[in-house]
Amino acid sequence: MDALQDYRKAQDDFEAVLAEVRPDEWDAPSECAEWTVRDVAGHAIWGQHQLRAWATGEDHPDQRGAPGAPNPAQLAGPDPVAAWRAARAGSTATLNPEALARTTSITGIGEVPLGAVVTLLTTDLVAHTWDVGHALGRDVRLDPALVTLAFDWARAHAVRRPGFFGPELAPPDGSDEQTRMLAFLGRAPWRRDQTPPRRSSSSAR
């Protein structure tokens, strides 16, 4: 798959897990520190709005859903699935070859073409698909090709600071690639009630 196909698959998978959230689950704590499930949805919605702004050259001063924002749920509103679908449609319509060639500046990464940002957002959606499902007790099996893509991107570009990726965790011996990718991004899918030993990001392989 090319970058846009991967991105659309990540969007589809994120939308599928959102569609499974029951009304009484939106305000449950998520796997992202200090964010509810609705906050995660709001952050992903913000990403769609931001991508559209980058693609069109328009200003997008609304930072309520940015990484580390205190209350991204504001962007999700009472119907997060509908808000996500509207934001996705508006963003996807702008992703033409000219837009993907535009250059933008990404915190911790620098100046990159928008086509590279698409892979960043694919990684973000893959992680948050797991965050939402796991927070609600689902057994989330991510698309293997997207897991590999996200793992490769994270090892090359992960920004480790509050609001971005947390410290890398040490997964159990013999863990599959999904578990190792999630551990690299600071998540512990193997145990819900105990945090394993942390390792520094410099030990990534």
Side-chain angles (χ1 to χ4, degrees), residues 68-110:
N71 188 16
Q74 298 173 75
L75 297 178
D79 189 343
V81 177
W84 156 261
R85 287 172 175 162
R88 175 183 178 176
S91 174
T92 300
T94 69
L95 299 182
N96 55 51
E98 180 182 359
L100 293 172
R102 283 179 176 271
T103 300
T104 189
S105 180
I106 303 296
T107 300
I109 298 175

Coordinates of all heavy atoms in Angstrom, one line a residue, residues 68-110:
G68 N -1.2 17.0 24.1 CA -1.0 17.5 25.4 C -2.1 18.5 25.8 O -2.1 19.0 27.0
A69 N -3.0 18.8 25.0 CA -4.1 19.8 25.3 C -4.9 19.2 26.5 O -5.1 18.0 26.6 CB -5.0 20.1 24.1
P70 N -5.4 20.1 27.3 CA -6.1 19.6 28.5 C -7.5 19.1 28.3 O -8.0 18.3 29.1 CB -6.2 20.9 29.4 CG -6.1 22.0 28.5 CD -5.2 21.6 27.4
N71 N -8.2 19.5 27.2 CA -9.6 19.1 27.0 C -10.0 18.9 25.6 O -10.8 19.6 25.1 CB -10.5 20.0 27.8 CG -11.9 19.6 27.8 OD1 -12.2 18.4 27.6 ND2 -12.9 20.5 28.1
P72 N -9.4 18.0 24.8 CA -9.7 17.8 23.4 C -11.2 17.4 23.2 O -11.7 17.5 22.1 CB -8.8 16.7 23.0 CG -7.7 16.7 23.9 CD -8.3 17.1 25.3
A73 N -11.8 16.9 24.3 CA -13.2 16.5 24.2 C -14.1 17.5 23.6 O -15.2 17.2 23.0 CB -13.7 16.0 25.5
Q74 N -13.7 18.8 23.8 CA -14.5 19.9 23.3 C -14.8 19.8 21.8 O -15.8 20.2 21.2 CB -13.9 21.2 23.6 CG -13.7 21.6 25.0 CD -12.8 22.8 25.2 OE1 -13.3 23.9 25.0 NE2 -11.6 22.6 25.6
L75 N -13.8 19.2 21.1 CA -13.9 19.1 19.6 C -14.8 17.9 19.2 O -15.2 17.8 18.1 CB -12.5 18.9 19.0 CG -11.6 20.1 19.1 CD1 -10.2 19.9 18.5 CD2 -12.2 21.4 18.5
A76 N -14.9 17.0 20.1 CA -15.7 15.8 19.8 C -17.2 16.0 20.0 O -18.1 15.4 19.3 CB -15.3 14.6 20.7
G77 N -17.6 16.9 21.0 CA -19.0 17.2 21.2 C -19.8 16.0 21.6 O -19.3 15.0 22.1
P78 N -21.1 16.2 21.5 CA -22.0 15.1 22.0 C -22.1 13.9 21.1 O -22.5 12.8 21.6 CB -23.4 15.8 22.0 CG -23.3 16.9 21.0 CD -21.9 17.3 21.1
D79 N -21.6 14.0 19.9 CA -21.6 12.8 19.0 C -20.2 12.7 18.3 O -20.0 13.2 17.2 CB -22.7 13.0 17.9 CG -22.8 11.7 17.0 OD1 -21.9 10.9 17.1 OD2 -23.9 11.6 16.3
P80 N -19.3 12.1 19.0 CA -17.9 12.1 18.5 C -17.8 11.4 17.2 O -16.9 11.7 16.4 CB -17.1 11.3 19.6 CG -17.9 11.6 20.9 CD -19.4 11.6 20.4
V81 N -18.6 10.3 17.0 CA -18.4 9.6 15.7 C -18.8 10.5 14.5 O -18.1 10.5 13.5 CB -19.3 8.3 15.7 CG1 -19.2 7.6 14.4 CG2 -18.8 7.4 16.9
A82 N -19.9 11.2 14.7 CA -20.3 12.1 13.6 C -19.3 13.2 13.4 O -19.0 13.6 12.3 CB -21.7 12.7 13.9
A83 N -18.8 13.8 14.5 CA -17.8 14.8 14.4 C -16.5 14.3 13.7 O -15.9 15.0 12.9 CB -17.4 15.3 15.8
W84 N -16.1 13.1 14.0 CA -14.9 12.5 13.4 C -15.2 12.3 11.9 O -14.3 12.7 11.0 CB -14.6 11.1 14.0 CG -13.9 10.2 13.1 CD1 -14.4 9.2 12.3 CD2 -12.5 10.2 12.8 NE1 -13.4 8.6 11.6 CE2 -12.2 9.2 11.9 CE3 -11.4 11.0 13.2 CZ2 -10.9 9.0 11.3 CZ3 -10.1 10.8 12.7 CH2 -9.9 9.8 11.8
R85 N -16.3 11.8 11.5 CA -16.6 11.5 10.1 C -16.7 12.8 9.3 O -16.2 12.8 8.2 CB -18.0 10.8 10.0 CG -17.9 9.3 10.4 CD -19.2 8.6 10.5 NE -19.1 7.2 10.8 CZ -20.1 6.4 11.2 NH1 -21.3 7.0 11.4 NH2 -19.8 5.2 11.5
A86 N -17.2 13.9 9.9 CA -17.3 15.2 9.2 C -15.8 15.7 9.0 O -15.5 16.2 7.9 CB -18.1 16.1 9.9
A87 N -15.0 15.6 10.1 CA -13.7 16.1 10.0 C -12.8 15.3 9.0 O -12.1 15.9 8.2 CB -13.0 16.1 11.3
R88 N -13.0 14.0 9.0 CA -12.3 13.1 8.1 C -12.7 13.5 6.6 O -11.8 13.6 5.8 CB -12.7 11.7 8.4 CG -12.0 10.7 7.4 CD -12.4 9.3 7.6 NE -11.9 8.4 6.6 CZ -12.0 7.1 6.6 NH1 -12.6 6.4 7.6 NH2 -11.4 6.3 5.6
A89 N -13.9 13.6 6.3 CA -14.4 13.9 5.0 C -13.8 15.2 4.5 O -13.3 15.4 3.4 CB -15.9 14.0 4.9
G90 N -13.8 16.3 5.4 CA -13.3 17.6 5.0 C -11.8 17.5 4.7 O -11.3 18.2 3.9
S91 N -11.1 16.7 5.5 CA -9.6 16.6 5.3 C -9.2 15.8 4.1 O -8.4 16.2 3.3 CB -9.0 16.0 6.6 OG -7.6 15.8 6.4
T92 N -9.9 14.7 4.0 CA -9.5 13.8 2.9 C -9.7 14.4 1.5 O -8.9 14.2 0.6 CB -10.3 12.5 3.0 OG1 -10.1 11.8 4.2 CG2 -10.0 11.5 1.9
A93 N -10.7 15.2 1.4 CA -11.0 15.9 0.1 C -9.8 16.8 -0.3 O -9.7 17.2 -1.5 CB -12.3 16.7 0.2
T94 N -9.0 17.2 0.6 CA -7.9 18.2 0.2 C -6.6 17.5 -0.1 O -5.6 18.2 -0.6 CB -7.6 19.1 1.4 OG1 -7.0 18.4 2.5 CG2 -8.9 19.8 1.9
L95 N -6.5 16.2 0.0 CA -5.2 15.5 -0.1 C -4.9 15.1 -1.6 O -5.0 14.0 -2.0 CB -5.2 14.3 0.7 CG -5.3 14.5 2.2 CD1 -5.2 13.2 3.0 CD2 -4.3 15.5 2.7
N96 N -4.6 16.1 -2.4 CA -4.2 15.9 -3.8 C -2.6 16.0 -3.9 O -2.0 16.4 -2.9 CB -4.9 17.0 -4.7 CG -4.6 18.4 -4.2 OD1 -3.5 18.8 -4.0 ND2 -5.7 19.2 -4.0
P97 N -2.1 15.7 -5.0 CA -0.6 15.7 -5.1 C 0.0 17.1 -4.8 O 1.1 17.1 -4.2 CB -0.4 15.3 -6.6 CG -1.6 14.5 -6.9 CD -2.7 15.1 -6.2
E98 N -0.6 18.1 -5.2 CA -0.1 19.5 -4.9 C 0.0 19.7 -3.4 O 1.0 20.2 -2.9 CB -0.9 20.5 -5.6 CG -0.4 22.0 -5.3 CD -1.3 23.0 -5.9 OE1 -2.3 22.7 -6.6 OE2 -1.0 24.2 -5.7
A99 N -1.1 19.3 -2.7 CA -1.1 19.5 -1.3 C -0.1 18.7 -0.6 O 0.6 19.1 0.4 CB -2.5 19.2 -0.7
L100 N 0.1 17.4 -1.0 CA 1.0 16.5 -0.3 C 2.5 17.0 -0.5 O 3.3 16.5 0.2 CB 0.8 15.1 -0.9 CG -0.5 14.4 -0.5 CD1 -0.7 13.1 -1.3 CD2 -0.6 14.2 1.0
A101 N 2.7 17.8 -1.5 CA 4.1 18.3 -1.7 C 4.4 19.6 -0.9 O 5.5 20.0 -0.8 CB 4.3 18.6 -3.2
R102 N 3.3 20.2 -0.3 CA 3.5 21.3 0.5 C 4.5 21.0 1.7 O 4.4 19.9 2.2 CB 2.2 21.9 1.1 CG 1.3 22.6 0.1 CD 0.1 23.0 0.9 NE -0.8 23.8 0.0 CZ -0.8 25.2 0.0 NH1 0.1 25.8 0.7 NH2 -1.6 25.8 -0.8
T103 N 5.2 22.0 2.1 CA 6.1 21.8 3.3 C 5.6 22.4 4.5 O 5.0 23.5 4.5 CB 7.5 22.4 3.0 OG1 8.1 21.8 1.8 CG2 8.5 22.2 4.2
T104 N 5.7 21.7 5.6 CA 5.2 22.3 6.9 C 6.2 21.9 8.0 O 7.1 21.1 7.8 CB 3.8 21.7 7.3 OG1 3.3 22.5 8.4 CG2 3.9 20.3 7.6
S105 N 6.1 22.6 9.1 CA 7.0 22.4 10.2 C 6.4 21.6 11.3 O 5.3 21.9 11.8 CB 7.5 23.7 10.8 OG 8.4 23.5 11.8
I106 N 7.0 20.5 11.7 CA 6.5 19.6 12.8 C 7.4 19.6 14.0 O 8.6 19.5 13.9 CB 6.3 18.2 12.3 CG1 5.4 18.1 11.0 CG2 5.8 17.2 13.4 CD1 4.0 18.5 11.3
T107 N 6.8 19.8 15.2 CA 7.6 19.9 16.4 C 8.4 18.6 16.6 O 7.9 17.5 16.5 CB 6.6 20.0 17.6 OG1 5.9 21.2 17.5 CG2 7.4 20.1 18.9
G108 N 9.7 18.8 16.8 CA 10.6 17.7 17.1 C 11.1 17.0 15.8 O 12.0 16.2 15.9
I109 N 10.5 17.4 14.7 CA 10.9 16.7 13.4 C 11.5 17.7 12.4 O 12.5 17.5 11.8 CB 9.7 16.0 12.8 CG1 9.2 14.9 13.7 CG2 10.1 15.4 11.4 CD1 8.0 14.2 13.2
G110 N 10.9 18.9 12.3 CA 11.4 19.9 11.4 C 10.6 20.1 10.2 O 9.4 19.8 10.2

